[in-house]
Amino acid sequence: MELRIDGVTKSYGHGPDSKLILEETWLKIQEREFVSIVGPSGCGKSTLLMMMAGLLAPTGGQVMLGNEPVDGPPFGLSVVFQDYSRSLFPWMTVRRNLSMAAAAYKLPKPEVEARVDHALAAVGLAGKGAMYPWQMSGGMQQRVAIARALVVEPKVMLMDEPFAAVDAQTRADLEDLVLRVRDEYRVTVAFVTHDIDEAVYLGDRVLVLAADPGRVVADISVGLPDPREQIATKLEPRFAALRAEVYRLVMRPTTPAVA
Ligand code: ADP
Ligand code: MG
């Protein structure tokens, strides 16, 4: 489903203390597109994503999911946060964590069970439903969080620096996992990261944000061949060119060309 940001602005605070966090922003994320969002810490990436999720109200403008305005967490939209240890319930088994996510959808129990099994298999955790999150490594817990997002068979998945807390090898595995899952579940993804290589590697598009106030300074079509592959893709001359361009935009978004 298409996700649109129609003239959205965001300020925090009121009156003289009010601070503009996001300048008026217009964006369209196409159905099944994978859009990476990068920018320096504090530029408003999470704020933008939370407005897309209906968890935070814009100050101006509107978020649209398909033809519906988003004014609360919509059906068919899942969010995956960085902090898996706080987003899973430690006293519930993995299976229970997943089936809980479907509660609001009022599905018949056998349907929920089937979806849980399917989602666990999709993230490489088939048969692990009886474990507790605290028995698992960080990488496995984040797979559980992804599986939980998939149980509702989302049209849109929003991910906020989901792999920032795991080691490099696990991170690469999770990146490839998320690309596979995107294809299998035919989901539209907005993926926030501060890692430029990750943004280019994963994205069909990369949005670059700048800070003070937050704003989109570039919207870049990646155009690397699919499927992506950790070694081959990163050896592409285009990969190197894109990462250099994004790096420059993140570091010095407003530097004018030298006269
Ligand atoms: P990012 O995810 O890019 O690091 P955030 O969206 O978390 O950035 O934050 C953008 C800016 O908004 C930061 O300057 C942050 O301090 C500020 N901010 C975030 N949440 C609040 C809030 N609830 N009240 C006031 N300011 C906030
Ligand atoms: Mg953030």
Side-chain angles (χ1 to χ4, degrees):
M1 205 178 285
E2 181 182 284
L3 187 71
R4 284 204 332 264
I5 306 291
D6 283 355
V8 165
T9 64
K10 182 69 189 174
S11 304
Y12 284 120
H14 297 284
D17 296 330
S18 138
K19 186 171 175 238
L20 182 64
I21 299 298
L22 188 70
E23 273 187 1
E24 184 176 320
T25 300
W26 297 82
L27 290 173
K28 198 184 282 188
I29 301 181
Q30 314 275 359
E31 177 148 351
R32 295 190 62 188
E33 198 173 24
F34 194 120
V35 174
S36 301
I37 302 171
V38 281
S41 183
C43 70
K45 303 182 294 295
S46 295
T47 300
L48 179 60
L49 210 71
M50 290 309 100
M51 291 192 291
M52 291 179 182
L55 292 168
L56 189 66
T59 305
Q62 200 163 45
V63 177
M64 298 288 293
L65 181 59
N67 293 321
E68 299 289 326
V70 171
D71 51 11
F75 283 98
L77 185 146
S78 294
V79 188
V80 178
F81 298 97
Q82 174 184 332
D83 198 350
Y84 46 80
S85 63
R86 285 200 291 177
S87 66
L88 300 172
F89 297 119
W91 64 89
M92 289 180 186
T93 63
V94 163
R95 173 168 289 280
R96 187 91 185 92
N97 266 282
L98 264 59
S99 53
M100 279 281 292
Y105 288 69
K106 309 248 185 282
L107 300 164
K109 194 156 187 292
E111 167 76 15
V112 173
E113 296 301 317
R115 286 190 184 196
V116 167
D117 287 331
H118 189 199
L120 285 175
V123 302
L125 291 178
K128 300 278 193 259
M131 289 179 79
Y132 287 88
W134 48 267
Q135 295 176 310
M136 299 177 140
S137 67
M140 282 170 86
Q141 289 183 51
Q142 196 54 300
R143 284 170 193 253
V144 174
I146 294 168
R148 189 183 53 181
L150 294 173
V151 162
V152 304
E153 298 186 349
K155 300 278 183 231
V156 178
M157 197 156 73
L158 306 177
M159 308 183 82
D160 194 357
E161 304 200 15
F163 309 144
V166 299
D167 64 85
Q169 176 59 51
T170 305
R171 185 173 192 144
D173 292 344
L174 288 169
E175 287 167 0
D176 292 335
L177 171 89
V178 94
L179 290 176
R180 282 199 306 278
V181 155
R182 186 268 299 254
D183 288 342
E184 188 182 342
Y185 278 80
R186 301 168 168 269
V187 69
T188 304
V189 183
F191 187 103
V192 167
T193 176
H194 57 245
D195 184 314
I196 291 165
D197 286 41
E198 182 169 78
V200 173
Y201 179 69
L202 292 175
D204 299 316
R205 263 160 78 200
V206 177
L207 297 177
V208 184
L209 270 60
D212 296 318
R215 61 202 187 278
V216 178
V217 290
D219 182 346
I220 298 165
S221 280
V222 170
L224 286 164
D226 289 312
R228 309 286 164 89
E229 199 277 326
Q230 289 286 351
I231 294 168
T233 300
K234 291 175 181 176
L235 284 171
E236 294 267 345
R238 180 158 176 81
F239 182 87
L242 285 166
R243 81 186 284 282
E245 184 184 358
V246 175
Y247 191 86
R248 183 185 64 76
L249 286 161
V250 170
M251 295 306 151
R252 293 186 295 166
T254 54
T255 307
V258 179

